Amino acid sequence: MLWTVLLALLVLLLLQTQLSVCLRELRSGGSSSPAYTSSSSSPSSSYNATQQRLPGAIIIGVRKGGTRALLEMLNLHPDVEVAKAEVHYFNLEEHYRRGLAWYRAQMPFTLPAQLTVEKTPGYFAAPQVPARVWDMNPAVRLLLIVRDPAERLVSDYTQVLHNRLTRHKPYQPLEELLIHKGHIDPGYKALQRSLYHQHLARWLEVFPREQIHVVDGDALIRDPFPELRKAERFLDLPPRISPSNFYYNTTKGFYCLLSAGHDKCLDESKGRPHAPLSTQAFKKLCHYFRKPNKLFFEMVGRSFSWC
């Protein structure tokens, strides 16, 4: 009889202990392990403390403006994790129809205090995107990196040209696409992408100006650190990126990244020589962009040293 009572008490004690553990897990969000794990924690426990989150910041453009460089540089920050590939969620219908669960699944695993950053330069010029991004998160922070629109256009064409040559497809010289009967053809798609003021106007119909940070892409190439420090402040990140994270690669002709003793340079497509364009045609292009550039400068409250 006594043994039966003792056994019942022991079972009751074990159930009470298990109940306490379950309640503690519920209070901490379903995991008894802390959000930040110590260095002695096993890799699996550290991984289980993370989850995929919707981005708190998005690099929305511009195409061929330096978006990949900006993303890789922001990824130097310990509180930032980036989506490795362009997701094209908001600008491609076949992706958008899959819903936010699909979009979230494209994001990296992060700890609760880390910032998830995605970049798809196609977002900036797509008319339907601003409202869709707002619906996802009205507080999301947006980074727009811009460069000289004439240089951006030539770089845009150069990428398309390279892709067509790789696939052994025919191509037209840039000047034939850009100039029609002696004048700039406003219908050329690469030119339309360089009309920054038109695209930014659509974003400002949805988002307040202070939620969009403009990065000088030309300055980022010349001297990355000052632009990264401004981006850190905009994203409310503690200053963790330093000048020692960058070194100039004389062979490639641009800055590469240093982190934890390892260096990383952007792939060979970056810094590719531009397709030829005559001096006369380039001057016409610069003249065409004077008014659009002025309108853009007024919108962002700053000027850039563009042609």
Side-chain angles (χ1 to χ4, degrees):
M1 181 67 178
L2 179 60
W3 283 107
T4 304
V5 173
L6 288 174
L7 183 60
L9 288 173
L10 181 60
V11 171
L12 184 61
L13 182 61
L14 288 171
L15 288 172
Q16 187 176 15
T17 302
Q18 185 62 40
L19 180 60
S20 298
V21 171
C22 291
L23 288 172
R24 188 164 62 248
E25 288 183 352
L26 285 171
R27 290 191 206 103
S28 63
S31 174
S32 58
S33 59
Y36 288 92
T37 57
S38 67
S39 57
S40 61
S41 299
S42 67
S44 60
S45 65
S46 176
Y47 181 82
N48 288 337
T50 65
Q51 61 178 289
Q52 289 167 298
R53 294 174 172 83
L54 292 171
I58 303 176
I59 300 173
I60 58 174
V62 300
R63 172 169 158 152
K64 306 308 296 178
T67 58
R68 171 56 60 181
L70 178 59
L71 186 78
E72 296 290 353
M73 291 174 185
L74 285 174
N75 201 32
L76 292 168
H77 200 291
D79 294 343
V80 170
E81 290 291 343
V82 304
K84 301 303 181 184
E86 293 177 8
V87 183
H88 291 278
Y89 173 65
F90 298 102
N91 64 326
L92 289 184
E93 296 304 317
E94 61 189 277
H95 290 172
Y96 192 69
R97 283 196 296 267
R98 295 177 179 179
L100 282 177
W102 178 87
Y103 184 48
R104 189 194 303 269
Q106 314 311 308
M107 297 301 120
F109 282 84
T110 57
L111 293 165
Q114 288 183 305
L115 175 70
T116 299
V117 180
E118 190 243 318
K119 81 102 175 171
T120 299
Y123 289 160
F124 183 55
Q128 75 275 26
V129 170
R132 289 178 172 183
V133 174
W134 175 271
D135 288 342
M136 185 268 298
N137 179 8
V140 70
R141 303 192 185 212
L142 307 170
L143 295 113
L144 173 66
I145 179 167
V146 294
R147 64 184 289 201
D148 185 314
E151 294 285 352
R152 193 220 66 81
L153 181 152
V154 179
S155 183
D156 197 333
Y157 170 83
T158 302
Q159 177 174 300
V160 174
L161 171 64
H162 176 78
N163 292 340
R164 295 189 74 82
L165 289 174
T166 301
R167 298 170 187 171
H168 306 289
K169 290 187 175 182
Y171 67 93
Q172 280 182 270
L174 174 56
E175 202 153 332
E176 289 183 11
L177 293 167
L178 182 61
I179 297 178
H180 180 65
K181 294 182 179 179
H183 299 284
I184 296 293
D185 181 3
Y188 180 40
K189 192 170 288 187
L191 180 125
Q192 293 172 357
R193 294 191 191 104
S194 281
L195 299 175
Y196 303 152
H197 71 291
Q198 290 184 359
H199 310 305
L200 182 59
R202 287 195 294 267
W203 286 89
L204 292 177
E205 288 174 0
V206 179
F207 287 93
R209 172 68 184 88
E210 58 269 19
Q211 236 169 289
I212 305 173
H213 177 64
V214 178
V215 178
D216 185 339
D218 297 309
L220 188 76
I221 298 302
R222 290 193 306 269
D223 185 10
F225 175 68
E227 289 299 313
L228 265 293
R229 180 49 52 88
K230 293 173 190 173
E232 280 180 323
R233 286 197 292 265
F234 170 72
L235 296 172
D236 283 337
L237 293 168
R240 294 290 183 269
I241 301 173
S242 72
S244 63
N245 286 123
F246 308 97
Y247 74 95
Y248 189 77
N249 187 310
T250 54
T251 303
K252 292 180 176 290
F254 53 78
Y255 278 89
C256 295
L257 316 181
L258 277 172
S259 179
H262 301 286
D263 67 334
K264 180 176 183 179
C265 290
L266 298 176
D267 62 47
E268 296 302 319
S269 68
K270 309 304 176 186
R272 183 186 289 139
H274 278 179
L277 184 65
S278 71
T279 302
Q280 183 182 9
F282 193 78
K283 284 182 178 178
K284 284 185 178 182
L285 189 58
C286 290
H287 184 268
Y288 182 89
F289 280 127
R290 280 182 188 172
K291 185 176 180 181
N293 288 349
K294 185 180 178 183
L295 292 171
F296 179 73
F297 297 163
E298 291 171 356
M299 293 171 80
V300 299
R302 60 187 287 199
S303 297
F304 297 86
S305 300
W306 295 339
C307 75

